Amino acid sequence: MMPAYFIAHGAPSLVIENHEYTDFLKKFAASLPKKPKAIVIFSAHYEQRVQTIGAVEGTYDTIYDFGGFPDELYQMTYPANGDRSLSEQIQSLFTKDGIQSTLDENRGLDHGSWAILKLIFPEADIPVVALSVNRHLTNEEQYQIGKALADLREQDVLIIGSGGTVHNLWKVKWQAGGIDNWALDFDNWLQSKLEAWDTNSLFHYRELAPYAQEAVPTNEHFIPLLLAMGAGDKTRQAKLLHRSYQLGNMSLSSWQFS
């Protein structure tokens, strides 16, 4: 069975950076059980009130949803194709679980998707279905959305949640410096609860986790973790594959749910 994954996407410039995390992502595909037949990816930068499913027929456009970065980034593309039949299958799975959803035939891939996919699968030769996130749902509802897609793992579909466990742009350090202890404390608490599959604590992380407000000032980057975890509900095994930091406290982490 294909594992599900949470993968931090960091800053948009991740795709042109060189450090231990980009090295990890470039080797990631080789660690998979087999080449995926398709990729389903929830991006923190694709926010909709109703669960939206990319249903592009043909090649996705590349969205440059950022400003002030090197010109090189704005020349990059990720010309992956959609998979309409998989999009419709996903909608059927959501309907079966009582989750309202809609298809979007036009939206391209934002940097939360293409920046990491370009590092992991640079050939862009695997069909992609982009899925939105909704910050207004409960954490349990987020988990259930991921759980609704769990059967896709048996079809060699790779499910990815793309976001960041510690993502606070108001507290990043643009100058060189060490890693903030509050970021470490939050991620360490998170690790203990994920490895124990303690969903009750995770659903109430805002009340229970140390420095939750600093680490997760807004929840759109945290949601993909719960979505990916939900997709791993059948087996309930969480493994930290990588964790490092940039800008003092922005977490670059990858979790496997298998």
Side-chain angles (χ1 to χ4, degrees), residues 164-179:
T165 57
V166 180
H167 187 92
N168 189 334
L169 298 183
W170 294 276
K171 288 188 174 291
V172 297
K173 297 176 180 177
W174 299 105
Q175 304 300 321
I179 303 170

Side-chain angles (χ1 to χ4, degrees), residues 171-238:
K171 288 188 174 291
V172 297
K173 297 176 180 177
W174 299 105
Q175 304 300 321
I179 303 170
D180 289 335
N181 286 331
W182 61 264
L184 292 171
D185 287 349
F186 178 82
D187 265 345
N188 286 336
W189 180 92
L190 188 62
Q191 179 176 351
S192 69
K193 303 309 177 185
L194 287 168
E195 290 176 344
W197 212 273
D198 183 353
T199 54
N200 185 61
S201 293
L202 289 165
F203 294 160
H204 297 91
Y205 74 91
R206 284 211 174 274
E207 298 81 31
L208 300 177
Y211 305 105
Q213 185 58 44
E214 289 85 352
V216 190
T218 57
N219 67 343
E220 74 284 350
H221 277 77
F222 191 84
I223 290 168
L225 177 72
L226 297 173
L227 294 164
M229 186 185 187
D233 182 80
K234 287 186 175 182
T235 44
R236 299 194 168 197
Q237 294 181 349

